Amino acid sequence: MLPVLGDDHDLNHGDVVVFAPAVLNDRPEPGQEDDWHPVFEYLTLLDPAGFTTYWIDGCCPDDDTWYALRGALQEAGYAVWAYSGDHYRITDPHHEGETLPGIYAALGVPPTSSAKEADALLTELTAHWPHPLAWPALAEAAGADPARHRKIVDDYDL
């Protein structure tokens, strides 16, 4: 099973694929492996799961809050994969020159849900956060006004 993949892939969460067993990229030196992921040659798609990927970006909350969000989304049938690591920092719009821990994640929306439902659920689950997340493409797909998300992108320099 695949994690949620990026826009540059035709594959997505839950798709069953065949890939070559040889790793295509070299493993970095010890201590420099934080963002390394093995890459395998994709051969064919056997069974598409039908998920659609949307990107979430913004300030990463504390671990408990992030895991609560992930858990609630997974319980509702969504897939969530964080692509950013501890090094990802974003601009703090309230304190010039300071940064905040960031989170860049992919949300896999299952075929049993819609962009509108995903947008509403994310809005509800993150409404109390001190720093908002942005998901402009999802908001647009949901028929919601993406202006709020574009403002977040601008304010936090995402």
Side-chain angles (χ1 to χ4, degrees), residues 1-5 11-17 19 45 81:
M1 183 154 16
L2 292 169
V4 175
L5 296 174
L11 305 174
N12 216 316
H13 174 76
D15 289 351
V16 177
V17 301
F19 59 90
L45 173 64
W81 295 85

Side-chain angles (χ1 to χ4, degrees), residues 7-88:
D7 295 332
D8 57 338
H9 296 282
D10 291 333
L11 305 174
N12 216 316
H13 174 76
D15 289 351
V16 177
V17 301
V18 175
F19 59 90
V23 177
L24 298 177
N25 56 335
D26 294 331
R27 183 181 275 291
E29 296 294 321
Q32 299 177 355
E33 301 172 312
D34 288 344
D35 294 325
W36 183 81
H37 302 281
V39 175
F40 300 92
E41 180 184 6
Y42 162 76
L43 300 176
T44 190
L45 173 64
L46 295 178
D47 186 19
F51 280 73
T52 303
T53 300
Y54 296 99
W55 295 98
I56 302 168
D57 200 354
C59 181
C60 188
D62 61 83
D63 286 347
D64 289 342
T65 303
W66 173 248
Y67 291 127
L69 173 67
R70 280 185 38 194
L73 290 168
Q74 289 170 344
E75 187 174 306
Y78 296 83
V80 182
W81 295 85
Y83 278 82
S84 55
D86 293 338
H87 64 280
Y88 183 49

